[in-house]
Every structure is written in structure tokens, then in C-alpha cells.
Amino acid sequence: YSFTPHIVDTLGGQVTISGENFGNDTSLVQVMMGNTELEVSTGVKELTHNSMIVTVPTGEGLPKHLSLSVDGQTVVVSKEETDKVLQYYKPLIENIEPNVIGTEGATVVVTGDYFGREGKPKGYMEGPDGSKLNWIDVDVVSGEHTSLSIVVGPGQGLTDLVLNVSHNEHQLSLKYFPPSIDPVEGGLLFGTEGGEEIIITGDNFGVGKDFEITIEDLNFDPSDSSSEDLNFGLFPREFDEDDSEVLEFDHKSFTMLAPEGQNRRNMPLTMSLVVAGQKSN
């Protein structure tokens, strides 16, 4: 026997099976998709000796063999017979709104097709290197088949949202905003000895890991011999989560100890923050 189509919507659908010696009594016919019995249509000409129509229920998951039994006589199907495989379409993400979120997390709406029944879709975040970011919470709170509401937890970086529907996956970009540092009128002033606590505010600083704070003189030219008598060797300075100078760090601010150093006259130092590869303004 043969059948068509071989792929159906997660909402379900009908499949036509063609062959020989099917009989015309639906009570004697059993069609299975894996362990799921399919309903055989009983309408006029829907079951004949060489053709029948079966209904595939709403579902999702990996491909399964379609097997056929008539009056106790079963057609044996081997694993190698790929033409006897019936499956649901894999999930397809077409849009995520919004597709860029703050590092504190947000609720997004995912639209597309073939998401399966409510409760079946699961999600996780993936990093730019393809690694699974298990530390970011992803909770599919509602929806099915074509639209899902998903709560994405705090995170950072250039990430993808991966939707897993009964071991079938699809992904689309859902990234976090880069960090932004609030401007300070007149700039920050601290002594050359360093050690003073300075508080930097802004947004989307991330979860407190994989960050680098850099303080540097962007205008300094190390080849300028006229500056050799000044101690510019102290800059640039870089700090991360392992440095004791960084005292506190959260999504909207961080506190650190000012480093020792000095700047040239009318040439202020510049501070930048890189979080998960994304640089601040």
C-alpha cells in the first residue's frame, strides 16, 4: 500500500491510503500511526477495496510508521521502509515580537505554524556559538499551533530563541539590548590615588558575568614623545567580574573603586562597558 500526503499539520488532517484487498467494512480495518489509531472514514466511497481515507488527530512529534491491518491480517512494515513514514510538520517560527528585549527579560509573542497542542512547545535560549544557555529561563505560558506567549528571563548578548515541539526544533533571533551608560554632566571626577567608590548608571548591564569595563584615553598616541614624562602606562585599565575593584553589578548600575592614574589636560578618560560581546554607547 501507499499513502499521501506524508506530512500533516499539527492541527491534524486526512490521509488517503491506496492498495488492494481493503474490504468495505470499517470495523475490520485498523490503521495505526505509531501507537495512535487513526479513524477510518465511513462515507460513501471513502472505504473501497483499494482505497481508504483516514483522519490524523491533532498532534506533534517525530515521524512514525503507518501500519495497516484488515480483519486481523497485518501488513508488516520494516524500519527501512521510509515510504511508510507519516509525520507532522516541524515547528516554524515566522516572527517574534519584540525581537530585542532588555536584559531583565520580557514577555514575547511568537507567531508561525505547527507549534502543536498547548503544553507541548518548550523553549530555550542559544548563544551565538550554538551553546544552550540553560541559565536563561524560558517559559511558554500559553498558546498553540500558530501563536505562543513566552516569558524570557534575564539574560544578555546576541541570542536565539529555540522552540522545541516534541523533539522537533526551529529557532529565530531574539537578542538582548546592548548596555547603555547614562551621561554625566561635567563627567566624573576622582583623585589620582584612586580607591574612591564611583557609581555608574544606565540600562541593560546584564546579569553580572561576561562583562568588561574599560577606562582609557581614546586620544592618547603612545608614539607621541612629548607625553613620555606622564604616567599614561596606567591606562587603558580593564575590569571584569573577577576583579575586586568591582563591588556591585546589576542591570541598571554598577559600583566600583576608581583606579589610580591621571589624564592629560583637557583630555578626559573614557569609560565603556562590553557585555557578552556588545559594547555600550
Side-chain angles (χ1 to χ4, degrees):
Y1 64 94
S2 61
F3 59 88
T4 186
H6 284 263
I7 306 178
V8 295
D9 197 304
T10 57
L11 288 166
Q14 290 190 322
V15 172
T16 300
I17 304 174
S18 302
E20 296 179 349
N21 304 315
F22 293 162
N24 57 6
D25 186 349
T26 57
S27 67
L28 300 178
V29 178
Q30 185 182 55
V31 180
M32 303 290 293
M33 179 184 179
N35 296 321
T36 302
E37 184 171 0
L38 306 184
E39 179 185 352
V40 180
S41 299
T42 58
V44 177
K45 295 184 179 181
E46 289 185 324
L47 172 62
T48 67
H49 292 283
N50 53 22
S51 178
M52 72 176 79
I53 296 175
V54 297
T55 299
V56 181
T58 298
E60 59 284 310
L62 297 175
K64 299 177 178 65
H65 278 91
L66 188 147
S67 60
L68 173 64
S69 176
V70 179
D71 196 16
Q73 295 182 316
T74 301
V75 179
V76 178
V77 178
S78 67
K79 292 182 179 180
E80 289 73 27
E81 293 184 81
T82 56
D83 62 324
K84 299 296 190 293
V85 169
L86 180 60
Q87 61 184 307
Y88 291 100
Y89 279 105
K90 296 179 180 180
L92 174 65
I93 302 173
E94 295 178 342
N95 187 56
I96 302 176
E97 182 61 37
N99 62 0
V100 185
I101 61 176
T103 60
E104 294 183 273
T107 298
V108 300
V109 175
V110 178
T111 53
D113 222 337
Y114 318 123
F115 296 160
R117 295 165 291 178
E118 186 162 4
K120 294 296 183 179
K122 308 295 180 185
Y124 65 89
M125 299 298 280
E126 185 177 278
D129 60 353
S131 60
K132 189 174 182 179
L133 305 178
N134 290 317
W135 53 272
I136 300 179
D137 293 328
V138 178
D139 184 17
V140 181
V141 294
S142 64
E144 59 182 353
H145 297 297
T146 60
S147 180
L148 302 172
S149 179
I150 301 180
V151 176
V152 181
Q156 59 192 31
L158 302 172
T159 52
D160 279 4
L161 172 66
V162 182
L163 191 64
N164 182 305
V165 181
S166 297
H167 305 292
N168 286 322
E169 293 186 342
H170 191 232
Q171 66 193 76
L172 197 64
S173 173
L174 173 58
K175 59 187 178 181
Y176 291 89
F177 281 112
S180 61
I181 296 176
D182 291 336
V184 177
E185 186 175 356
L188 290 172
L189 296 175
F190 48 88
T192 58
E193 292 183 355
E196 301 173 48
E197 285 192 11
I198 56 176
I199 299 175
I200 304 299
T201 61
D203 208 357
N204 301 307
F205 290 172
V207 297
K209 62 180 181 180
D210 191 19
F211 68 83
E212 186 173 80
I213 304 164
T214 301
I215 301 175
E216 59 187 326
D217 181 352
L218 293 177
N219 298 298
F220 175 60
D221 181 1
S223 64
D224 183 0
S225 59
S226 64
S227 298
E228 289 180 354
D229 58 331
L230 299 177
N231 188 15
F232 291 113
L234 294 174
F235 294 101
R237 290 289 305 277
E238 297 170 345
F239 306 88
D240 59 28
E241 63 265 34
D242 296 324
D243 289 307
S244 60
E245 289 90 343
V246 181
L247 306 178
E248 296 179 1
F249 198 101
D250 60 35
H251 295 282
K252 294 184 179 296
S253 69
F254 63 84
T255 303
M256 66 176 295
L257 299 177
E260 176 188 10
Q262 62 189 38
N263 61 285
R264 294 180 295 162
R265 179 183 299 178
N266 298 323
M267 291 292 181
L269 299 171
T270 299
M271 175 181 286
S272 62
L273 172 65
V274 175
V275 176
Q278 291 183 289
K279 190 174 182 179
S280 63
N281 53 315

